[in-house]
Amino acid sequence: MAPSYEALRLGRGGTMVASCLQDVFCLPALSTSVAEARRHVVFRLRSWGVVEDTRDSAELVVSELFTNAVRHTSSEEVRCSLQLIGTRLRLEVADQGCARSVPQARSVGVDQEGGRGLMLVEALSEAWGVRAEHGGTGRAVWAYLV
């Protein structure tokens, strides 16, 4: 029998079917909410039995995406969703909009203090991207981790 931390269950006919675990939460678009988002994600992933390396990567990815949503939009709240299918984790952070540009990884100089967040997301993720949210005014940035 498959351990529960692998998020597997037996389907009809005795075949293995990957179950889907999900969580969604919203927080005010404040810099103080970033730490709360990290804590929530780590707690939820630990309760689902996700391995430490993936939890650590997810904590950093959510921190970067949530920070960007707070810093670069005029949102009142930010929504974060987690979805675990088998051992594949999908994270998504959605804002309410009014960002000046489309999120993209960019090169920055060694002496620049910021601007590396999406480079980290790209390095830690199997894939990541951006989609329209809130009727086209907001954006959702998603990432897949394994």
Side-chain angles (χ1 to χ4, degrees):
M1 186 158 148
S4 61
Y5 63 85
E6 290 181 4
L8 297 176
R9 60 181 161 80
L10 290 176
R12 292 182 186 188
T15 60
M16 295 295 257
V17 177
S19 67
C20 179
L21 300 172
Q22 299 182 72
D23 186 26
V24 178
F25 61 95
C26 294
L27 294 170
L30 303 170
S31 58
T32 54
S33 295
V34 176
E36 189 175 344
R38 280 194 309 261
R39 282 190 299 272
H40 185 99
V41 166
V42 169
F43 173 80
R44 181 61 59 221
L45 296 181
R46 187 175 286 127
S47 75
W48 290 346
V50 173
V51 296
E52 185 176 7
D53 285 347
T54 303
R55 285 194 321 256
D56 291 346
S57 294
E59 180 179 19
L60 184 53
V61 167
V62 165
S63 183
E64 294 299 335
L65 297 181
F66 207 98
T67 297
N68 285 350
V70 169
R71 247 187 220 163
H72 302 294
T73 72
S74 58
S75 301
E76 291 182 19
E77 73 174 13
V78 177
R79 181 181 48 80
C80 183
S81 64
L82 311 166
Q83 196 174 47
L84 183 65
I85 303 171
T87 58
R88 192 170 196 221
L89 176 64
R90 183 180 193 278
L91 304 170
E92 182 175 277
V93 175
D95 60 60
Q96 295 170 318
C98 301
R100 288 169 274 171
S101 62
V102 174
Q104 59 185 355
R106 60 187 170 103
S107 297
V108 293
V110 226
D111 56 341
Q112 285 182 288
E113 189 175 312
R116 292 175 183 79
L118 290 177
M119 287 174 47
L120 286 171
V121 171
E122 189 171 82
L124 294 170
S125 303
E126 178 182 68
W128 75 279
V130 181
R131 67 176 182 78
E133 178 75 7
H134 292 286
T137 60
R139 293 195 183 98
V141 183
W142 54 265
Y144 283 100
L145 304 172
V146 178

